[in-house]
Amino acid sequence: MFVGALELDVLLGDVHSLKQKRSVVKPVVAELRRRFEVSVAEAGHQDLHRRALIGVAVVAADAQHVREVLDACERLVAGRPELELLSARHRLVGPEDD
């Protein structure tokens, strides 16, 4: 079993309140969840209205599949015009990582 985690630090465009932030981040989180069947949540920068940290997690029997899913999630977020992807951090844990 392999577990992959992805942290996406994003800068939001023309957002001036936490309510506007939710209206931008929530559809991205929902699309990631729906399209890739991953666990995803806004995991940081909750009190900043122009920044968001989106966390994605996936479990699979194959490390390559985990990498492919996380890469696809990163590409989806990077391609959103209302967001600027500041950084992406990948982690992979496998059976030898006890």
Side-chain angles (χ1 to χ4, degrees), residues 31-97:
E31 184 175 3
L32 286 166
R33 188 175 291 132
R34 179 185 53 77
R35 186 180 281 189
F36 301 109
E37 296 182 5
V38 295
S39 293
V40 58
E42 183 181 354
H45 305 311
Q46 275 124 345
D47 32 337
L48 302 175
H49 67 274
R50 292 210 55 225
R51 293 276 298 273
L53 183 67
I54 299 171
V56 180
V58 62
V59 176
D62 181 347
Q64 184 61 33
H65 180 69
V66 170
R67 286 187 199 97
E68 289 170 0
V69 170
L70 294 181
D71 288 344
C73 290
E74 182 180 345
R75 282 192 304 276
L76 183 137
V77 171
R80 298 292 291 242
E82 70 275 20
L83 306 173
E84 179 183 344
L85 182 58
L86 299 176
S87 69
R89 182 175 172 197
H90 294 245
R91 280 184 255 163
L92 181 67
V93 178
E96 291 83 32
D97 297 323

